[in-house]
Amino acid sequence: MADVEATSGNVPSDDEEKEIEEMRRQVMEMEQELARENEAVAIAALAGHPSLGGASTTVDAKAANGHSGEAVASPNETSSSLQAGANLDEDPDGRSIYVGNVDYGATPEEIQAHFASCGTINRVTILLDKFTGHPKGYAYVEFTQPAHVEAALVLNESLFRGRLIKIME
């Protein structure tokens, strides 16, 4: 009978095995880095550090809510004083405004200060790009009362950090 030679079509060579092993090592390193970043975001959310948020940076007057991708810090108002005047569980969309053309360096605290004259603010959220972590240039402001939204609409096209902001319900 004829000798049967082994073909190398299905069996990887030593160089290919090394390359595959290197790829596996890189994937493992990326997964470990992602786990460390997720842990840092979770710790930041619990500790109330808005600078480490993933998907949005939020100032929440109620308390740290622990949602993934959000960093939460409490402003000067207490949750009991906020809840005394409104049921905050009812329709947050009716108490919120969209703020467009927000400067990329703006903080939730600065936006809160800009709208403080309109009424009591429950939360300010600046949305961040999920890949880069940079601000998208718009925010949402949630008030404790729907009537405060009307007062905030008066600030449409007002100057905030050198830019004309666009405000919509």
Side-chain angles (χ1 to χ4, degrees):
M1 289 211 169
D3 291 333
V4 179
E5 292 184 25
T7 60
S8 63
N10 292 337
V11 178
S13 68
D14 287 340
D15 289 340
E16 289 173 336
E17 285 182 24
K18 289 178 183 177
E19 188 176 335
I20 291 170
E21 190 59 38
E22 177 64 19
M23 286 180 183
R24 286 183 180 144
R25 186 188 61 75
Q26 289 175 348
V27 168
M28 187 182 306
E29 285 178 5
M30 288 188 286
E31 288 173 344
Q32 289 171 347
E33 182 178 344
L34 179 61
R36 284 191 301 270
E37 288 174 2
N38 287 341
E39 184 179 340
V41 168
I43 290 170
L46 293 174
H49 294 288
S51 64
L52 298 175
S56 66
T57 300
T58 304
V59 170
D60 188 347
K62 292 190 292 185
N65 58 12
H67 293 301
S68 65
E70 290 186 359
V72 180
S74 296
N76 295 332
E77 301 164 314
T78 64
S79 87
S80 60
S81 66
L82 290 176
Q83 293 175 351
N87 184 356
L88 298 178
D89 294 331
E90 289 182 13
D91 191 27
D93 291 342
R95 297 180 277 115
S96 299
I97 58 168
Y98 163 87
V99 185
N101 200 28
V102 175
D103 183 75
Y104 294 110
T107 65
E109 291 82 7
E110 290 173 321
I111 295 173
Q112 183 176 9
H114 187 75
F115 289 98
S117 64
C118 302
T120 307
I121 295 171
N122 185 37
R123 176 177 29 229
V124 173
T125 304
I126 298 175
L127 277 79
L128 305 175
D129 182 274
K130 65 181 176 180
F131 298 111
T132 65
H134 297 286
K136 289 185 174 184
Y138 61 94
Y140 292 96
V141 178
E142 180 186 330
F143 294 96
T144 57
Q145 299 288 327
H148 299 191
V149 170
E150 297 301 322
L153 292 174
V154 174
L155 292 177
N156 186 33
E157 305 220 358
S158 63
L159 202 60
F160 176 71
R161 293 192 72 171
R163 299 175 79 158
L164 291 176
I165 55 174
K166 178 70 177 168
I167 301 170
M168 297 188 299
E169 282 188 75

